[in-house]
Amino acid sequence: DEAGISAATIYRYFPSQQALFNDAFLQDIGAACEEFKTMVETDEPATIEQFGIKFVDHLINNESTFQMMAYLMLRDNLSNPVMGKFDSVTKIFFDLFTRLLTRHGVAKEQARIHSHAFVASITGIIMTFRNSSVRDKASVRNHIIKVVRVTAALYTNQLLGHREQDTARA
């Protein structure tokens, strides 16, 4: 209604409401990846904590994106083209975080698995605390950010600590 487009016109381009939601989600994640790419590719890359907070803020501020992401992750009977698109977008995101970790000195062979673990941790933190009934939205975000900071510190200390140990051994 807001766009002034009839449902019939939309169905000319999208065979179903599900297809429309999938494309909207993929476009949003693609745009977010560009923002994250900037954080990684600058002369002084973002910290693990900054990356995690940016990820949280994007998903909190884009509730429909978070819901679609969770839906696609949990769905087991999506068509191959949809899963192929979803996999390619998530691969770009994991590649970016892997690149961030390697820019901070994490060995490339370790960076990918840590990228998966960190993103899964952040997603789980959001899922656990986002619908807290005892707090307002700002308090919920603040609590999620506190937990993300602790998580980022664990990754930072462990990953960069290994690098320092390897350097000391050499």
Side-chain angles (χ1 to χ4, degrees):
D1 286 346
E2 289 180 33
I5 299 171
S6 72
T9 301
I10 291 172
Y11 285 115
R12 211 179 282 168
Y13 298 98
F14 300 97
S16 67
Q17 189 177 37
Q18 182 67 45
L20 172 63
F21 289 153
N22 291 343
D23 274 7
F25 167 74
L26 294 171
Q27 283 183 14
D28 180 68
I29 291 297
C33 283
E34 288 302 314
E35 292 178 38
F36 287 103
K37 184 176 182 180
T38 301
M39 295 179 77
V40 173
E41 299 298 331
T42 61
D43 290 339
E44 185 67 33
T47 64
I48 293 171
E49 180 180 301
Q50 290 168 332
F51 195 93
I53 290 171
K54 177 77 171 174
F55 184 60
V56 165
D57 281 338
H58 182 79
L59 293 178
I60 287 175
N61 293 332
N62 298 281
E63 178 67 24
S64 60
T65 298
F66 181 75
Q67 289 178 3
M68 280 300 295
M69 182 180 80
Y71 173 79
L72 290 171
M73 287 176 163
L74 297 172
R75 210 50 214 256
D76 64 351
N77 63 346
L78 292 174
S79 68
N80 285 340
V82 172
M83 281 312 294
K85 288 179 187 177
F86 180 67
D87 288 345
S88 66
V89 170
T90 55
K91 182 184 181 310
I92 291 167
F93 188 78
F94 285 126
D95 288 347
L96 286 170
F97 192 67
T98 299
R99 171 94 173 107
L100 179 71
L101 292 175
T102 57
R103 290 211 51 207
H104 284 292
V106 176
K108 196 170 191 171
E109 57 275 1
Q110 293 177 345
R112 187 55 158 207
I113 192 72
H114 288 290
S115 173
H116 288 174
F118 184 71
V119 171
S121 298
I122 301 302
T123 304
I125 290 165
I126 296 169
M127 291 178 112
T128 302
F129 297 107
R130 75 184 189 90
N131 287 328
S132 177
S133 61
V134 294
R135 300 181 184 154
D136 60 87
K137 195 167 186 135
S139 296
V140 169
R141 181 206 175 266
N142 290 339
H143 183 71
I144 289 171
I145 295 300
K146 283 180 189 175
V147 177
V148 167
R149 283 190 167 120
V150 168
T151 305
L154 293 171
Y155 281 87
T156 302
N157 293 340
Q158 180 187 6
L159 294 175
L160 301 182
H162 284 306
R163 184 181 73 185
E164 291 169 4
Q165 289 173 359
D166 291 343
T167 303
R169 280 186 221 139

Tab-separated table of all heavy atoms in Angstrom, residues 87-143:
chain	number	residue	atom	x	y	z
A	87	ASP	N	22.983	-19.154	1.328
A	87	ASP	CA	24.345	-19.628	1.601
A	87	ASP	C	25.394	-18.682	1.043
A	87	ASP	O	26.410	-18.424	1.678
A	87	ASP	CB	24.555	-21.035	1.035
A	87	ASP	CG	23.817	-22.105	1.819
A	87	ASP	OD1	23.372	-21.821	2.953
A	87	ASP	OD2	23.682	-23.225	1.292
A	88	SER	N	25.149	-18.142	-0.153
A	88	SER	CA	26.150	-17.245	-0.742
A	88	SER	C	26.239	-15.941	0.032
A	88	SER	O	27.334	-15.401	0.221
A	88	SER	CB	25.861	-16.988	-2.222
A	88	SER	OG	24.663	-16.272	-2.388
A	89	VAL	N	25.118	-15.426	0.520
A	89	VAL	CA	25.147	-14.196	1.319
A	89	VAL	C	25.811	-14.450	2.667
A	89	VAL	O	26.643	-13.664	3.116
A	89	VAL	CB	23.727	-13.618	1.497
A	89	VAL	CG1	23.714	-12.493	2.513
A	89	VAL	CG2	23.184	-13.127	0.169
A	90	THR	N	25.476	-15.547	3.325
A	90	THR	CA	26.108	-15.828	4.619
A	90	THR	C	27.596	-16.116	4.439
A	90	THR	O	28.396	-15.750	5.295
A	90	THR	CB	25.423	-16.989	5.365
A	90	THR	OG1	25.392	-18.144	4.530
A	90	THR	CG2	24.010	-16.620	5.775
A	91	LYS	N	27.974	-16.714	3.310
A	91	LYS	CA	29.396	-16.949	3.047
A	91	LYS	C	30.141	-15.624	2.960
A	91	LYS	O	31.238	-15.486	3.509
A	91	LYS	CB	29.590	-17.755	1.765
A	91	LYS	CG	31.053	-18.059	1.478
A	91	LYS	CD	31.231	-18.784	0.159
A	91	LYS	CE	32.668	-19.117	-0.137
A	91	LYS	NZ	33.616	-18.048	-0.003
A	92	ILE	N	29.555	-14.644	2.307
A	92	ILE	CA	30.187	-13.320	2.219
A	92	ILE	C	30.389	-12.751	3.618
A	92	ILE	O	31.461	-12.231	3.949
A	92	ILE	CB	29.334	-12.367	1.357
A	92	ILE	CG1	29.363	-12.813	-0.102
A	92	ILE	CG2	29.817	-10.916	1.495
A	92	ILE	CD1	28.318	-12.131	-0.976
A	93	PHE	N	29.371	-12.886	4.470
A	93	PHE	CA	29.464	-12.358	5.823
A	93	PHE	C	30.548	-13.076	6.622
A	93	PHE	O	31.377	-12.447	7.273
A	93	PHE	CB	28.111	-12.469	6.529
A	93	PHE	CG	28.091	-11.775	7.847
A	93	PHE	CD1	27.960	-10.399	7.914
A	93	PHE	CD2	28.225	-12.491	9.016
A	93	PHE	CE1	27.961	-9.744	9.138
A	93	PHE	CE2	28.226	-11.845	10.240
A	93	PHE	CZ	28.092	-10.472	10.295
A	94	PHE	N	30.568	-14.405	6.547
A	94	PHE	CA	31.605	-15.163	7.247
A	94	PHE	C	32.992	-14.844	6.690
A	94	PHE	O	33.961	-14.764	7.441
A	94	PHE	CB	31.348	-16.668	7.172
A	94	PHE	CG	30.233	-17.137	8.068
A	94	PHE	CD1	29.173	-17.863	7.552
A	94	PHE	CD2	30.242	-16.866	9.423
A	94	PHE	CE1	28.149	-18.302	8.377
A	94	PHE	CE2	29.225	-17.305	10.259
A	94	PHE	CZ	28.172	-18.016	9.731
A	95	ASP	N	33.080	-14.651	5.366
A	95	ASP	CA	34.359	-14.268	4.761
A	95	ASP	C	34.855	-12.940	5.330
A	95	ASP	O	36.050	-12.776	5.598
A	95	ASP	CB	34.243	-14.152	3.242
A	95	ASP	CG	34.109	-15.489	2.531
A	95	ASP	OD1	34.341	-16.542	3.172
A	95	ASP	OD2	33.763	-15.477	1.329
A	96	LEU	N	33.931	-11.990	5.499
A	96	LEU	CA	34.319	-10.689	6.046
A	96	LEU	C	34.857	-10.820	7.463
A	96	LEU	O	35.889	-10.239	7.803
A	96	LEU	CB	33.127	-9.728	6.028
A	96	LEU	CG	32.729	-9.172	4.673
A	96	LEU	CD1	31.395	-8.439	4.767
A	96	LEU	CD2	33.816	-8.254	4.140
A	97	PHE	N	34.159	-11.589	8.297
A	97	PHE	CA	34.622	-11.721	9.678
A	97	PHE	C	35.924	-12.522	9.730
A	97	PHE	O	36.816	-12.211	10.523
A	97	PHE	CB	33.556	-12.351	10.581
A	97	PHE	CG	33.903	-12.228	12.030
A	97	PHE	CD1	33.935	-10.985	12.654
A	97	PHE	CD2	34.236	-13.337	12.780
A	97	PHE	CE1	34.286	-10.862	13.996
A	97	PHE	CE2	34.582	-13.224	14.119
A	97	PHE	CZ	34.600	-11.976	14.728
A	98	THR	N	36.060	-13.508	8.864
A	98	THR	CA	37.311	-14.261	8.774
A	98	THR	C	38.449	-13.320	8.395
A	98	THR	O	39.535	-13.366	8.977
A	98	THR	CB	37.185	-15.400	7.743
A	98	THR	OG1	36.144	-16.290	8.165
A	98	THR	CG2	38.481	-16.168	7.583
A	99	ARG	N	38.187	-12.455	7.427
A	99	ARG	CA	39.195	-11.466	7.014
A	99	ARG	C	39.548	-10.541	8.173
A	99	ARG	O	40.722	-10.216	8.384
A	99	ARG	CB	38.662	-10.668	5.821
A	99	ARG	CG	39.489	-9.484	5.426
A	99	ARG	CD	40.492	-9.831	4.334
A	99	ARG	NE	41.142	-8.613	3.871
A	99	ARG	CZ	42.402	-8.293	4.158
A	99	ARG	NH1	43.143	-9.107	4.842
A	99	ARG	NH2	42.923	-7.175	3.725
A	100	LEU	N	38.550	-10.124	8.944
A	100	LEU	CA	38.814	-9.264	10.110
A	100	LEU	C	39.738	-9.982	11.089
A	100	LEU	O	40.716	-9.402	11.578
A	100	LEU	CB	37.515	-8.868	10.803
A	100	LEU	CG	37.665	-7.989	12.041
A	100	LEU	CD1	38.100	-6.584	11.657
A	100	LEU	CD2	36.377	-7.956	12.827
A	101	LEU	N	39.446	-11.241	11.369
A	101	LEU	CA	40.277	-11.999	12.303
A	101	LEU	C	41.710	-12.138	11.790
A	101	LEU	O	42.661	-11.981	12.555
A	101	LEU	CB	39.670	-13.379	12.570
A	101	LEU	CG	38.351	-13.384	13.347
A	101	LEU	CD1	37.794	-14.806	13.424
A	101	LEU	CD2	38.516	-12.794	14.729
A	102	THR	N	41.863	-12.413	10.503
A	102	THR	CA	43.224	-12.547	9.966
A	102	THR	C	43.950	-11.206	9.981
A	102	THR	O	45.160	-11.171	10.214
A	102	THR	CB	43.235	-13.141	8.540
A	102	THR	OG1	42.448	-12.329	7.674
A	102	THR	CG2	42.706	-14.566	8.543
A	103	ARG	N	43.230	-10.113	9.795
A	103	ARG	CA	43.864	-8.792	9.883
A	103	ARG	C	44.338	-8.504	11.301
A	103	ARG	O	45.248	-7.714	11.499
A	103	ARG	CB	42.905	-7.688	9.426
A	103	ARG	CG	42.680	-7.778	7.915
A	103	ARG	CD	42.417	-6.508	7.203
A	103	ARG	NE	43.357	-5.443	7.447
A	103	ARG	CZ	43.028	-4.167	7.336
A	103	ARG	NH1	41.792	-3.819	7.011
A	103	ARG	NH2	43.928	-3.222	7.550
A	104	HIS	N	43.712	-9.162	12.272
A	104	HIS	CA	44.140	-9.008	13.671
A	104	HIS	C	45.164	-10.068	14.061
A	104	HIS	O	45.489	-10.216	15.237
A	104	HIS	CB	42.942	-9.036	14.615
A	104	HIS	CG	42.155	-7.763	14.617
A	104	HIS	ND1	42.657	-6.577	15.110
A	104	HIS	CD2	40.910	-7.479	14.168
A	104	HIS	CE1	41.755	-5.625	14.978
A	104	HIS	NE2	40.690	-6.145	14.400
A	105	GLY	N	45.631	-10.847	13.090
A	105	GLY	CA	46.711	-11.770	13.350
A	105	GLY	C	46.323	-13.204	13.606
A	105	GLY	O	47.177	-14.036	13.909
A	106	VAL	N	45.060	-13.549	13.469
A	106	VAL	CA	44.639	-14.937	13.662
A	106	VAL	C	45.014	-15.725	12.409
A	106	VAL	O	44.808	-15.262	11.285
A	106	VAL	CB	43.114	-15.021	13.914
A	106	VAL	CG1	42.650	-16.462	14.018
A	106	VAL	CG2	42.746	-14.245	15.172
A	107	ALA	N	45.577	-16.908	12.606
A	107	ALA	CA	45.966	-17.753	11.475
A	107	ALA	C	44.749	-18.073	10.615
A	107	ALA	O	43.665	-18.357	11.135
A	107	ALA	CB	46.601	-19.044	11.988
A	108	LYS	N	44.933	-18.023	9.313
A	108	LYS	CA	43.826	-18.218	8.382
A	108	LYS	C	43.110	-19.555	8.602
A	108	LYS	O	41.890	-19.634	8.528
A	108	LYS	CB	44.331	-18.109	6.943
A	108	LYS	CG	43.247	-17.910	5.940
A	108	LYS	CD	43.808	-17.562	4.580
A	108	LYS	CE	42.676	-17.111	3.682
A	108	LYS	NZ	43.158	-16.564	2.433
A	109	GLU	N	43.878	-20.600	8.896
A	109	GLU	CA	43.258	-21.913	9.101
A	109	GLU	C	42.402	-21.968	10.366
A	109	GLU	O	41.520	-22.812	10.480
A	109	GLU	CB	44.304	-23.042	9.096
A	109	GLU	CG	45.411	-22.918	10.108
A	109	GLU	CD	46.584	-22.043	9.649
A	109	GLU	OE1	46.560	-21.506	8.539
A	109	GLU	OE2	47.532	-21.906	10.442
A	110	GLN	N	42.613	-21.083	11.314
A	110	GLN	CA	41.792	-21.009	12.528
A	110	GLN	C	40.671	-19.980	12.399
A	110	GLN	O	39.646	-20.091	13.061
A	110	GLN	CB	42.649	-20.622	13.737
A	110	GLN	CG	43.664	-21.634	14.165
A	110	GLN	CD	44.499	-21.113	15.324
A	110	GLN	OE1	44.508	-19.920	15.618
A	110	GLN	NE2	45.193	-22.006	15.990
A	111	ALA	N	40.873	-18.990	11.558
A	111	ALA	CA	39.950	-17.855	11.495
A	111	ALA	C	38.538	-18.260	11.061
A	111	ALA	O	37.558	-17.741	11.596
A	111	ALA	CB	40.501	-16.776	10.569
A	112	ARG	N	38.404	-19.176	10.127
A	112	ARG	CA	37.077	-19.529	9.606
A	112	ARG	C	36.213	-20.181	10.683
A	112	ARG	O	35.059	-19.808	10.866
A	112	ARG	CB	37.213	-20.449	8.399
A	112	ARG	CG	35.921	-20.735	7.688
A	112	ARG	CD	35.243	-19.447	7.291
A	112	ARG	NE	34.313	-19.646	6.216
A	112	ARG	CZ	33.998	-18.701	5.368
A	112	ARG	NH1	34.541	-17.522	5.454
A	112	ARG	NH2	33.127	-18.922	4.432
A	113	ILE	N	36.749	-21.134	11.404
A	113	ILE	CA	35.950	-21.814	12.429
A	113	ILE	C	35.606	-20.848	13.563
A	113	ILE	O	34.504	-20.886	14.106
A	113	ILE	CB	36.640	-23.104	12.945
A	113	ILE	CG1	35.671	-23.935	13.790
A	113	ILE	CG2	37.892	-22.795	13.748
A	113	ILE	CD1	34.597	-24.597	12.995
A	114	HIS	N	36.521	-19.947	13.887
A	114	HIS	CA	36.233	-18.944	14.914
A	114	HIS	C	35.198	-17.938	14.423
A	114	HIS	O	34.391	-17.443	15.211
A	114	HIS	CB	37.514	-18.251	15.365
A	114	HIS	CG	38.386	-19.141	16.196
A	114	HIS	ND1	38.046	-19.523	17.473
A	114	HIS	CD2	39.560	-19.743	15.926
A	114	HIS	CE1	38.982	-20.316	17.955
A	114	HIS	NE2	39.907	-20.474	17.031
A	115	SER	N	35.205	-17.660	13.146
A	115	SER	CA	34.189	-16.794	12.555
A	115	SER	C	32.812	-17.418	12.725
A	115	SER	O	31.859	-16.769	13.159
A	115	SER	CB	34.494	-16.576	11.072
A	115	SER	OG	33.456	-15.879	10.436
A	116	HIS	N	32.694	-18.694	12.415
A	116	HIS	CA	31.417	-19.396	12.583
A	116	HIS	C	30.977	-19.387	14.048
A	116	HIS	O	29.809	-19.115	14.352
A	116	HIS	CB	31.539	-20.846	12.102
A	116	HIS	CG	31.637	-20.968	10.629
A	116	HIS	ND1	31.869	-22.173	10.004
A	116	HIS	CD2	31.556	-20.053	9.629
A	116	HIS	CE1	31.910	-21.997	8.694
A	116	HIS	NE2	31.734	-20.718	8.454
A	117	ALA	N	31.912	-19.675	14.936
A	117	ALA	CA	31.574	-19.735	16.363
A	117	ALA	C	31.137	-18.376	16.894
A	117	ALA	O	30.157	-18.281	17.651
A	117	ALA	CB	32.777	-20.254	17.159
A	118	PHE	N	31.824	-17.314	16.497
A	118	PHE	CA	31.493	-15.986	17.010
A	118	PHE	C	30.130	-15.516	16.510
A	118	PHE	O	29.296	-15.057	17.291
A	118	PHE	CB	32.576	-14.972	16.620
A	118	PHE	CG	32.352	-13.605	17.206
A	118	PHE	CD1	32.534	-13.388	18.562
A	118	PHE	CD2	31.974	-12.549	16.409
A	118	PHE	CE1	32.334	-12.136	19.114
A	118	PHE	CE2	31.771	-11.293	16.948
A	118	PHE	CZ	31.950	-11.075	18.306
A	119	VAL	N	29.878	-15.666	15.223
A	119	VAL	CA	28.590	-15.233	14.663
A	119	VAL	C	27.450	-16.058	15.268
A	119	VAL	O	26.396	-15.514	15.615
A	119	VAL	CB	28.604	-15.303	13.126
A	119	VAL	CG1	27.224	-15.062	12.549
A	119	VAL	CG2	29.595	-14.278	12.575
A	120	ALA	N	27.656	-17.356	15.435
A	120	ALA	CA	26.631	-18.191	16.070
A	120	ALA	C	26.407	-17.765	17.517
A	120	ALA	O	25.266	-17.736	17.995
A	120	ALA	CB	27.039	-19.665	16.004
A	121	SER	N	27.475	-17.411	18.213
A	121	SER	CA	27.346	-16.934	19.597
A	121	SER	C	26.519	-15.669	19.661
A	121	SER	O	25.609	-15.547	20.496
A	121	SER	CB	28.729	-16.654	20.203
A	121	SER	OG	29.496	-17.815	20.266
A	122	ILE	N	26.815	-14.720	18.795
A	122	ILE	CA	26.090	-13.448	18.790
A	122	ILE	C	24.619	-13.677	18.456
A	122	ILE	O	23.731	-13.118	19.100
A	122	ILE	CB	26.728	-12.447	17.791
A	122	ILE	CG1	28.181	-12.171	18.137
A	122	ILE	CG2	25.915	-11.159	17.721
A	122	ILE	CD1	28.435	-11.624	19.508
A	123	THR	N	24.362	-14.506	17.470
A	123	THR	CA	22.976	-14.814	17.100
A	123	THR	C	22.235	-15.442	18.281
A	123	THR	O	21.100	-15.076	18.582
A	123	THR	CB	22.948	-15.748	15.870
A	123	THR	OG1	23.672	-15.126	14.808
A	123	THR	CG2	21.534	-16.027	15.422
A	124	GLY	N	22.881	-16.364	18.972
A	124	GLY	CA	22.273	-16.994	20.147
A	124	GLY	C	22.025	-16.003	21.270
A	124	GLY	O	20.998	-16.070	21.961
A	125	ILE	N	22.936	-15.073	21.467
A	125	ILE	CA	22.758	-14.043	22.503
A	125	ILE	C	21.525	-13.203	22.187
A	125	ILE	O	20.687	-12.944	23.064
A	125	ILE	CB	24.023	-13.159	22.609
A	125	ILE	CG1	25.176	-13.964	23.200
A	125	ILE	CG2	23.747	-11.900	23.441
A	125	ILE	CD1	26.550	-13.319	23.028
A	126	ILE	N	21.397	-12.808	20.944
A	126	ILE	CA	20.224	-12.005	20.551
A	126	ILE	C	18.945	-12.806	20.767
A	126	ILE	O	17.974	-12.296	21.325
A	126	ILE	CB	20.340	-11.534	19.087
A	126	ILE	CG1	21.528	-10.592	18.924
A	126	ILE	CG2	19.050	-10.847	18.645
A	126	ILE	CD1	21.885	-10.289	17.481
A	127	MET	N	18.942	-14.058	20.328
A	127	MET	CA	17.742	-14.888	20.482
A	127	MET	C	17.367	-15.078	21.952
A	127	MET	O	16.197	-15.086	22.300
A	127	MET	CB	17.951	-16.248	19.819
A	127	MET	CG	18.018	-16.176	18.331
A	127	MET	SD	18.328	-17.791	17.611
A	127	MET	CE	16.762	-18.056	16.813
A	128	THR	N	18.373	-15.209	22.798
A	128	THR	CA	18.128	-15.454	24.211
A	128	THR	C	17.521	-14.255	24.916
A	128	THR	O	16.618	-14.402	25.738
A	128	THR	CB	19.441	-15.857	24.912
A	128	THR	OG1	19.959	-17.029	24.270
A	128	THR	CG2	19.222	-16.125	26.382
A	129	PHE	N	17.989	-13.062	24.588
A	129	PHE	CA	17.610	-11.899	25.385
A	129	PHE	C	16.701	-10.888	24.689
A	129	PHE	O	16.196	-9.982	25.351
A	129	PHE	CB	18.876	-11.175	25.868
A	129	PHE	CG	19.713	-12.021	26.773
A	129	PHE	CD1	20.912	-12.559	26.328
A	129	PHE	CD2	19.298	-12.313	28.069
A	129	PHE	CE1	21.693	-13.359	27.155
A	129	PHE	CE2	20.060	-13.113	28.899
A	129	PHE	CZ	21.259	-13.637	28.442
A	130	ARG	N	16.432	-11.009	23.413
A	130	ARG	CA	15.722	-9.949	22.698
A	130	ARG	C	14.267	-9.767	23.103
A	130	ARG	O	13.732	-8.685	22.963
A	130	ARG	CB	15.819	-10.148	21.191
A	130	ARG	CG	14.951	-11.240	20.649
A	130	ARG	CD	15.190	-11.417	19.151
A	130	ARG	NE	14.224	-12.314	18.593
A	130	ARG	CZ	13.061	-11.955	18.094
A	130	ARG	NH1	12.722	-10.698	18.062
A	130	ARG	NH2	12.224	-12.850	17.617
A	131	ASN	N	13.643	-10.781	23.611
A	131	ASN	CA	12.233	-10.671	23.995
A	131	ASN	C	12.030	-10.661	25.500
A	131	ASN	O	10.999	-11.098	25.996
A	131	ASN	CB	11.421	-11.810	23.370
A	131	ASN	CG	11.237	-11.602	21.891
A	131	ASN	OD1	11.150	-10.475	21.419
A	131	ASN	ND2	11.184	-12.692	21.143
A	132	SER	N	13.004	-10.136	26.215
A	132	SER	CA	12.881	-10.064	27.665
A	132	SER	C	11.659	-9.227	28.029
A	132	SER	O	11.514	-8.090	27.577
A	132	SER	CB	14.146	-9.434	28.258
A	132	SER	OG	14.001	-9.309	29.642
A	133	SER	N	10.777	-9.778	28.820
A	133	SER	CA	9.520	-9.094	29.149
A	133	SER	C	9.661	-8.109	30.311
A	133	SER	O	8.766	-7.313	30.551
A	133	SER	CB	8.440	-10.119	29.478
A	133	SER	OG	8.844	-10.878	30.607
A	134	VAL	N	10.762	-8.160	31.016
A	134	VAL	CA	10.898	-7.304	32.198
A	134	VAL	C	11.644	-6.002	31.912
A	134	VAL	O	11.841	-5.205	32.804
A	134	VAL	CB	11.619	-8.056	33.342
A	134	VAL	CG1	10.768	-9.199	33.837
A	134	VAL	CG2	12.987	-8.540	32.907
A	135	ARG	N	12.042	-5.786	30.689
A	135	ARG	CA	12.835	-4.605	30.377
A	135	ARG	C	12.290	-3.882	29.153
A	135	ARG	O	11.669	-4.476	28.286
A	135	ARG	CB	14.280	-5.011	30.088
A	135	ARG	CG	14.936	-5.695	31.240
A	135	ARG	CD	16.341	-6.034	30.857
A	135	ARG	NE	16.950	-6.791	31.939
A	135	ARG	CZ	17.939	-7.630	31.765
A	135	ARG	NH1	18.433	-7.835	30.589
A	135	ARG	NH2	18.439	-8.273	32.795
A	136	ASP	N	12.597	-2.600	29.077
A	136	ASP	CA	12.273	-1.853	27.866
A	136	ASP	C	13.317	-2.168	26.798
A	136	ASP	O	14.356	-2.758	27.081
A	136	ASP	CB	12.226	-0.347	28.161
A	136	ASP	CG	13.555	0.173	28.673
A	136	ASP	OD1	14.405	0.525	27.834
A	136	ASP	OD2	13.749	0.202	29.912
A	137	LYS	N	13.041	-1.750	25.574
A	137	LYS	CA	13.896	-2.094	24.432
A	137	LYS	C	15.336	-1.597	24.610
A	137	LYS	O	16.282	-2.310	24.282
A	137	LYS	CB	13.279	-1.523	23.163
A	137	LYS	CG	13.852	-2.086	21.911
A	137	LYS	CD	12.984	-1.731	20.711
A	137	LYS	CE	13.529	-2.436	19.497
A	137	LYS	NZ	12.546	-3.063	18.693
A	138	ALA	N	15.510	-0.406	25.143
A	138	ALA	CA	16.869	0.133	25.346
A	138	ALA	C	17.633	-0.698	26.372
A	138	ALA	O	18.825	-0.976	26.191
A	138	ALA	CB	16.802	1.593	25.781
A	139	SER	N	16.967	-1.115	27.436
A	139	SER	CA	17.626	-1.943	28.454
A	139	SER	C	17.992	-3.309	27.901
A	139	SER	O	19.052	-3.852	28.224
A	139	SER	CB	16.723	-2.109	29.677
A	139	SER	OG	16.490	-0.875	30.298
A	140	VAL	N	17.124	-3.854	27.074
A	140	VAL	CA	17.407	-5.144	26.445
A	140	VAL	C	18.647	-5.019	25.552
A	140	VAL	O	19.560	-5.836	25.633
A	140	VAL	CB	16.188	-5.657	25.638
A	140	VAL	CG1	16.561	-6.845	24.766
A	140	VAL	CG2	15.044	-6.011	26.578
A	141	ARG	N	18.689	-3.979	24.723
A	141	ARG	CA	19.847	-3.760	23.858
A	141	ARG	C	21.115	-3.616	24.697
A	141	ARG	O	22.143	-4.217	24.402
A	141	ARG	CB	19.672	-2.523	22.989
A	141	ARG	CG	20.877	-2.307	22.074
A	141	ARG	CD	21.050	-0.845	21.672
A	141	ARG	NE	22.266	-0.678	20.892
A	141	ARG	CZ	23.440	-0.327	21.415
A	141	ARG	NH1	23.572	-0.107	22.705
A	141	ARG	NH2	24.501	-0.189	20.645
A	142	ASN	N	21.053	-2.823	25.761
A	142	ASN	CA	22.226	-2.614	26.615
A	142	ASN	C	22.719	-3.924	27.218
A	142	ASN	O	23.925	-4.167	27.302
A	142	ASN	CB	21.930	-1.598	27.715
A	142	ASN	CG	21.779	-0.193	27.162
A	142	ASN	OD1	22.246	0.119	26.072
A	142	ASN	ND2	21.101	0.659	27.911
A	143	HIS	N	21.782	-4.776	27.647
A	143	HIS	CA	22.184	-6.069	28.219
A	143	HIS	C	22.825	-6.951	27.139
A	143	HIS	O	23.861	-7.583	27.378
A	143	HIS	CB	20.994	-6.777	28.857
A	143	HIS	CG	21.394	-8.060	29.507
A	143	HIS	ND1	22.130	-8.112	30.665
A	143	HIS	CD2	21.192	-9.350	29.131
A	143	HIS	CE1	22.364	-9.370	30.989
A	143	HIS	NE2	21.804	-10.142	30.070
